[in-house]
Amino acid sequence: MGAVVRRTVAVVAAIVLCLEAVGIVVVNGIMATFVNNQSMSLDGLDPDVMAAGTWAMGGVFGFFLAACGTLLLVVAVRDRGPGRWGRVLLVGCAVVHGVLGALTVGPVGWHAFVFLMVVLGLVVFALLQYGGTEPEGRAEPGGSGGGAPPAVEGRSVSLDKGPVGDTGPAVGDGPARA
C-alpha cells in the first residue's frame, strides 16, 4: 500500500506542477502583451524591456516548475527518492510555493493561497514519502547494497543500562589511560 500512495502523490504533484508551469507562462505572456500593446512603463522604464523581462521571468519560472514536475514523475516511475540535487530542487519548489502563498493572500485572494498551499503540501508529502529511499548506486562501500545494515558481531548494549549479558570488562570501562 505504501508504494501505491507514494507513486500516486508523486504523479499528482508532477501533473499539478506541469499544469502550473503552463499557467505561469501563459499569465506572464498575457501580462507582457498588455505591457507591450499599451506602451506601459513604470517610472520611465522602457516598455519593450519590461515586456521582454516579463516573458523571460515566465519562461524561467515555467521551466523551473516543469523541471520539478518532471523530476517527480521520474521519481514515481522509478519508485526511488530523488538524489541530493533533486531534493534541493524540490525543497526550493516547496519554499517558493510557501512564500508565494503568503504573498498572494492580499492581492489575489484566498483561492490562490489555497491552491499554492495544496501544491506545497503535495511536494512536501512526496518528499517525505521518499525521504528514506536513496537512489541506486549510493550503497555503502563494501556493503551488500541490499539496503539492510551489515550484521555487527559483539555484545548487545542497552542505552540506559550499558552492556547486556556480558559481565567482563569492555572497551571504554574504567578510567581513561594515555
Side-chain angles (χ1 to χ4, degrees):
M1 170 112 158
V4 173
V5 171
R6 274 196 314 252
R7 285 183 170 186
T8 303
V9 168
V11 167
V12 169
I15 290 170
V16 169
L17 284 173
C18 287
L19 290 175
E20 186 180 6
V22 171
I24 287 292
V25 171
V26 167
V27 165
N28 278 287
I30 291 170
M31 288 191 315
T33 304
F34 280 139
V35 166
N36 202 17
N37 288 342
Q38 303 219 349
S39 295
M40 295 179 183
S41 70
L42 182 65
D43 197 28
L45 294 175
D46 184 19
D48 293 332
V49 172
M50 289 178 59
T54 304
W55 272 111
M57 182 182 69
V60 168
F61 196 52
F63 178 76
F64 171 71
L65 291 172
C68 292
T70 304
L71 176 66
L72 281 172
L73 194 59
V74 169
V75 163
V77 168
R78 292 183 179 172
D79 198 27
R80 286 195 316 243
R84 175 178 293 151
W85 291 109
R87 285 190 180 122
V88 168
L89 186 71
L90 291 175
V91 167
C93 182
V95 168
V96 165
H97 278 85
V99 170
L100 285 179
L103 294 176
T104 59
V105 173
V108 181
W110 286 102
H111 58 281
F113 173 78
V114 169
F115 172 76
L116 288 167
M117 292 303 108
V118 167
V119 177
L120 169 69
L122 285 170
V123 172
V124 169
F125 192 55
L127 277 169
L128 289 175
Q129 289 296 313
Y130 286 101
T133 57
E134 287 291 324
E136 207 171 283
R138 300 270 183 174
E140 293 290 325
S144 62
V152 177
E153 297 289 328
R155 306 189 288 179
S156 298
V157 177
S158 169
L159 293 177
D160 58 345
K161 297 179 186 171
V164 176
D166 187 17
T167 58
V171 176
D173 289 347
R177 296 185 187 137

